[in-house]
C-alpha cells in the first residue's frame, strides 16, 4: 500500500479508564467506561471515537463520489451509531448504523450514491465482513 497519511495515538492509564492522545497533540481525551457498561461515563470511549470517525469518513467518501459523478449535494449529513455487545464467546462485538440525509436527491439516486460511497470509504472497507453495518438513506 502506498501510504498517504499516518495517524498515531497512545493510550495510557487503564485503557477505557485512562487517557488517549495523538502524537501530533490534536486529540487529548480522558477516557471512561460508559455508564451502561458499569463505568462513570465521565469521558470519551472507543465507540464514540469510532462513531465520529466513521461518520466523517463516510461523509467525505459520499462527497467525493458525488463530485466524481457531477452530483451537487447540499446540506447532506451522515450520522453514525456504534453499538457494542457480547459476542457469545466471552468477547465483544460492534455494529454500526449509518443515517445518511441527502436533501433534494431522489431516493433511487441517493441510494446509488450511498452504495458507491460504501465501496470506497476506508471505514466501510475495514469493517466489511467483520461487523454488521446498516445504512439508512432519507431526504430529511
Amino acid at each position: 500500500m502506498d501510504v498517504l497519511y499516518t495517524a498515531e495515538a497512545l493510550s495510557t492509564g487503564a485503557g477505557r479508564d485512562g487517557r488517549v492522545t495523538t502524537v501530533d497533540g490534536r486529540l487529548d481525551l480522558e477516557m471512561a467506561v460508559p455508564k451502561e457498561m458499569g463505568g462513570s461515563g465521565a469521558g470519551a470511549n472507543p465507540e464514540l471515537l469510532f462513531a465520529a470517525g466513521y461518520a466523517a469518513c463516510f461523509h467525505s467518501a459520499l462527497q467525493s463520489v458525488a463530485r466524481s459523478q457531477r452530483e451537487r449535494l447540499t446540506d447532506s449529513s451522515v450520522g453514525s451509531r456504534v453499538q457494542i455487545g457480547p459476542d457469545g464467546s466471552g468477547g465483544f462485538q460492534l455494529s454500526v448504523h449509518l443515517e445518511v440525509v441527502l436533501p433534494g436527491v431522489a431516493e433511487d439516486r441517493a441510494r446509488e450514491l450511498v452504495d458507491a460511497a460504501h465501496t470506497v470509504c476506508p471505514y466501510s472497507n475495514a469493517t466489511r465482513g467483520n461487523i454488521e453495518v446498516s445504512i439508512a438513506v432519507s431526504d430529511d
Side-chain angles (χ1 to χ4, degrees), residues 7 27 32 50-51 58 62 78-79 96-97 104 107 117 127-128:
L27 285 178
F50 189 67
F58 195 89
L62 180 62
V78 175
V96 174
H97 179 71
E107 184 178 343
T127 60
R128 188 171 290 110

Side-chain angles (χ1 to χ4, degrees), residues 46-125:
E47 293 72 35
L48 286 173
L49 297 173
F50 189 67
Y54 205 154
C57 190
F58 195 89
H59 200 192
S60 181
L62 180 62
Q63 293 287 337
S64 177
V65 164
R67 275 191 308 277
S68 74
Q69 296 184 17
R70 301 189 192 283
E71 183 82 41
R72 188 167 186 267
L73 300 181
T74 305
D75 298 325
S76 62
S77 65
V78 175
S80 175
R81 182 172 55 242
V82 172
Q83 297 176 310
I84 185 170
D87 68 1
S89 67
F92 293 89
Q93 63 186 7
L94 298 174
S95 67
V96 174
H97 179 71
L98 300 174
E99 295 183 12
V100 180
V101 178
L102 297 174
V105 179
E107 184 178 343
D108 289 347
R109 181 64 178 137
R111 180 47 70 180
E112 288 174 5
L113 292 169
V114 165
D115 288 347
H118 195 43
T119 66
V120 300
C121 173
Y123 275 64
S124 293
N125 289 332

Side-chain angles (χ1 to χ4, degrees), residues 3-64:
V3 176
L4 299 175
Y5 171 73
T6 300
E8 294 182 57
L10 177 66
S11 173
T12 56
R16 285 183 172 272
D17 274 322
R19 178 162 226 87
V20 66
T21 57
T22 56
V23 173
D24 63 10
R26 290 186 178 160
L27 285 178
D28 185 350
L29 300 171
E30 179 181 338
M31 304 296 284
V33 175
K35 287 182 181 182
E36 298 84 350
M37 295 174 66
S40 71
N45 61 66
E47 293 72 35
L48 286 173
L49 297 173
F50 189 67
Y54 205 154
C57 190
F58 195 89
H59 200 192
S60 181
L62 180 62
Q63 293 287 337
S64 177

